Amino acid sequence: MARLLRGGTTLDNRVFLRVLKALALIREEERERIADWLALASDAVSTVAAHAQSVLGALALDGELTPRRLAEMSDAVLFRPEKKLVRAQLVLLGKALARDASAAEEVLPALAQAFAHEDAEVQERALKLVERHLKKVDSPEVRAELVGAADQLVPTLRARAVENLGAAPVTAASLVHEELLPPAPEAARLAPAPGSAVELAEELGALLATEGDVAAFERVLDGLVRHAYEDRDALLEALGPVVARRWWADDAPGIPSARTTTSAGRTTPSAARPTLSTSCWPPSWTGCARSPSTTEPITTTGAGSAGTAH
């Protein structure tokens, strides 16, 4: 149960749900964990939520789930995106109201929240249940709450609610659709570029590793332009460790390269990286490049033409 409460994907929870079902909890154990069942029915993936819903439904029909708890469960389940769960909850509420008339004042306001559901069929089912059990409600406050909720029904069902629930009549003004757009985003000034080359190198390393947002990219780009103008040598020195593991680091002009030294004292590029010629940077199809498997440049005579190796 605790593992299922932690959440996860349907695939993650499949094994744990099977284990829970295989345990075959007795009624007393199920009753002791009502709060956990409610949490699963509200937020778990659909398969786990359906199992929790069936457990709570059995408790409700046996009189072991209070009307307040049933209403709390309905508040969450009726707004889940899975229509199968929503319909099952409406069926459960109908059975619970038929079994216990005294639960109407607690349950019907929760049921009326389905009047705002995006599916007109769900709205109609909820309205039918409210119409069927409205006579069991004596509280004027609860009746007023149900009437107010009817304003969220689609126009055809709203007309029924006017006749059966005493809701306000449908007027031409109430049928006008008013679309409310979210407020326009406010412009926010970006933070200044990093003040030192070392700080800039750190932020560039984080950006290369995480592919940060646009604001981070703009700050780093701003810093690169500023520091390249103010002190290019200091910038290149700070960037050396950051780009050392990049495949193009060995031949990037001005960047300290990660090379290996042979016994003869010669430096050679790291074999793990393809190398690019520094004589044409950046490389292009119409310029020259170096084959990853050779150390000699390949020259081309034009776009799409075959190169001649030297």
Side-chain angles (χ1 to χ4, degrees), residues 59 134 155 178 262 304:
L59 291 172
L134 182 63
E178 182 180 1
T262 66

Side-chain angles (χ1 to χ4, degrees), residues 9 46 48 121 181 277 285:
T9 64
S46 59
V48 177
E121 181 184 352
L181 298 176
S277 173
W285 290 109

Side-chain angles (χ1 to χ4, degrees), residues 29-270:
E29 291 174 324
E30 292 177 341
R31 187 170 56 247
E32 290 174 352
R33 293 169 172 80
I34 286 178
D36 293 336
W37 294 120
L38 288 172
L40 292 176
S42 302
D43 301 319
V45 295
S46 59
T47 52
V48 177
H51 177 67
Q53 183 185 42
S54 65
V55 172
L56 292 170
L59 291 172
L61 296 180
D62 288 343
E64 300 186 44
L65 190 69
T66 65
R68 183 176 296 276
R69 288 288 202 177
L70 181 58
E72 181 183 345
M73 172 189 176
S74 301
D75 287 340
V77 176
L78 289 177
F79 284 95
R80 288 189 62 109
E82 302 91 350
K83 293 183 181 179
K84 183 177 180 180
L85 293 178
V86 174
R87 293 180 182 128
Q89 188 66 20
L90 293 176
V91 172
L92 172 61
L93 291 176
K95 292 179 179 179
L97 289 169
R99 177 189 173 278
D100 183 8
S102 64
E105 293 192 357
E106 289 274 4
V107 174
L108 284 184
L111 172 59
Q113 293 190 43
F115 292 171
H117 198 277
E118 61 182 9
D119 189 346
E121 181 184 352
V122 171
Q123 291 188 13
E124 185 176 12
R125 290 189 180 195
L127 180 58
K128 286 181 179 179
L129 285 174
V130 172
E131 290 171 344
R132 186 180 308 159
H133 299 283
L134 182 63
K135 59 186 178 182
K136 301 174 183 178
V137 176
D138 297 325
S139 170
E141 291 80 8
V142 175
R143 284 180 172 266
E145 185 177 352
L146 296 175
V147 169
D151 292 341
Q152 303 173 88
L153 293 167
V154 295
T156 53
L157 297 178
R158 174 83 178 276
R160 263 178 55 183
V162 170
E163 180 180 352
N164 300 328
L165 304 184
V170 180
T171 62
S174 65
L175 296 179
V176 175
H177 175 68
E178 182 180 1
E179 184 173 357
L180 299 178
L181 298 176
E186 297 182 1
R189 183 178 294 275
L190 291 177
S196 67
V198 174
E199 182 183 356
L200 173 62
E202 292 177 353
E203 295 203 17
L204 176 61
L207 183 64
L208 292 174
T210 62
E211 298 183 359
D213 58 14
V214 175
F217 174 83
E218 291 291 342
R219 288 188 68 246
V220 169
L221 179 60
D222 183 15
L224 289 172
V225 174
R226 292 177 184 273
H227 288 284
Y229 176 77
E230 294 172 358
D231 192 345
R232 184 174 183 273
D233 292 337
L235 175 62
L236 293 176
E237 182 179 356
L239 293 180
V242 176
V243 302
R245 295 185 179 181
R246 300 286 160 174
W247 64 267
W248 40 262
D250 285 333
D251 293 290
I255 299 293
S257 61
R259 295 178 176 267
T260 59
T261 303
T262 66
S263 58
R266 299 174 58 190
T267 58
T268 59
S270 174

Side-chain angles (χ1 to χ4, degrees), residues 5-20:
L5 287 169
R6 287 166 54 189
T9 64
T10 302
L11 184 61
D12 293 337
N13 289 320
R14 183 178 300 171
V15 173
F16 300 104
L17 181 58
R18 288 178 180 174
V19 172
L20 180 60

